[in-house]
Amino acid sequence: MLMAHPAVLPGLVDRYWALSVLDASEGDSPVRKEIEAVERALCVATGTTDVHAALIAARHHLPGTGTLDDSVLAAGAGREPA
């Protein structure tokens, strides 16, 4: 599978989060159109079909993310309360 160059992924992820903060619920807003374009780019770059899966895949390919990174798991999942 082709993967985006590691230098591309941080920019796409940052752009997605910035746009999601500005996202208006209106379907025809320029922000909505741009966020959809970024979502498509993330999916293509990571070989996924869902933006949430794309964000997880991108996070695991970002520089500094180790293979044992469990940051996508729910906090405290599977642990006994302290």
Side-chain angles (χ1 to χ4, degrees):
M1 173 181 76
L2 291 175
M3 277 302 290
H5 191 279
V8 173
L9 289 175
L12 285 173
V13 172
D14 290 346
R15 187 72 182 143
Y16 174 81
W17 290 120
L19 289 168
S20 66
V21 170
L22 299 173
D23 186 23
S25 299
E26 303 168 25
D28 289 339
S29 75
V31 173
R32 172 92 316 258
K33 289 179 182 180
E34 190 169 349
I35 199 169
E36 288 172 357
V38 172
E39 288 173 353
R40 282 190 301 274
L42 273 167
C43 288
V44 169
T46 58
T48 60
T49 57
D50 174 68
V51 70
H52 300 292
L55 290 168
I56 291 168
R59 168 172 246 169
H60 284 284
H61 292 346
L62 291 174
T65 304
T67 57
L68 299 176
D69 182 5
D70 64 353
S71 60
V72 296
L73 300 176
R79 295 185 202 172
E80 292 183 27

